[in-house]
Amino acid sequence: MRRPYIVENERHPLPIGTTSSPPLYTNFISTPYELARLMVAVHRGAVGRGGVARLGIGTAEARAELLARFLDVRDTSKLVAGLPSGVPVAHKTGYTDDVRHDAGIIYLRSGPVVASAMTYRQGSIAGTGERFIARVATVARSRLAGGGACDGLPLTSPRRQR
């Protein structure tokens, strides 16, 4: 699948280059940071400004529709797998033979937490990527369930913190 993004009813390929693996097979490129920013925008209702508003869809409508769709995602093999049963997660998942990703808003009692992870392994990753992403959700919940914020990167497991 190698298609350009559609911008303003015209097709414009994005200028993209890579310097390391994985090789570029598509023009649909993102990072965990960008997906996390998208989830924050959806949660805050920042969607709808610009392009969606020009279509006559208001911010509240766009937010409600996106959250409903993200909350209805049936893939429970990634972020959801790292959380206790019943924790609401509004997320967007994806995968190929070599890539797994999930980004979403985890609705904890203490407030929403955004988590995003992407994995790559040449050859089938058969469960490895899912387990890593589930662990990201587990650590995010453990670190942020009492409130607070992540001020520094990289995050460390609560077991390693002193």
Side-chain angles (χ1 to χ4, degrees):
M1 164 166 47
R2 186 160 177 81
R3 299 176 289 168
Y5 284 98
I6 298 173
V7 180
E8 303 281 337
N9 296 323
E10 295 180 39
R11 293 183 173 267
H12 298 283
L14 296 176
I16 299 171
T18 60
T19 57
S20 62
S21 290
L24 178 63
Y25 292 119
T26 178
N27 284 348
F28 299 117
I29 302 220
S30 189
T31 66
Y33 176 75
E34 289 169 335
L35 289 176
R37 287 185 62 201
L38 173 64
M39 292 298 162
V40 169
V42 168
H43 174 75
R44 291 182 176 166
V47 296
R49 297 179 184 154
V52 180
R54 286 180 292 179
L55 298 174
I57 301 170
T59 300
E61 278 180 281
R63 179 178 188 266
E65 181 66 25
L66 284 169
L67 279 176
R69 288 175 186 262
F70 287 159
L71 284 164
D72 199 35
V73 170
R74 303 285 186 223
D75 184 343
T76 60
S77 66
K78 299 175 189 76
L79 287 177
V80 175
L83 300 168
S85 178
V87 172
V89 181
H91 61 127
K92 192 273 179 230
T93 68
Y95 63 91
T96 68
D97 287 344
D98 297 329
V99 175
R100 301 287 192 267
H101 84 258
D102 201 353
I105 309 158
I106 303 167
Y107 288 99
L108 302 175
R109 288 183 184 156
S110 59
V113 172
V114 170
S116 179
M118 294 179 168
T119 65
Y120 171 79
R121 181 172 147 195
Q122 193 157 358
S124 176
I125 60 175
T128 306
E130 285 92 345
R131 286 190 299 274
F132 173 79
I133 295 169
R135 183 75 181 129
V136 167
T138 300
V139 171
R141 177 181 169 265
S142 178
R143 172 122 183 213
L144 300 171
C150 292
D151 295 325
L153 292 176
L155 297 179
T156 57
S157 170
R159 285 181 275 141
R160 292 185 185 166
Q161 293 176 351
R162 301 235 189 264

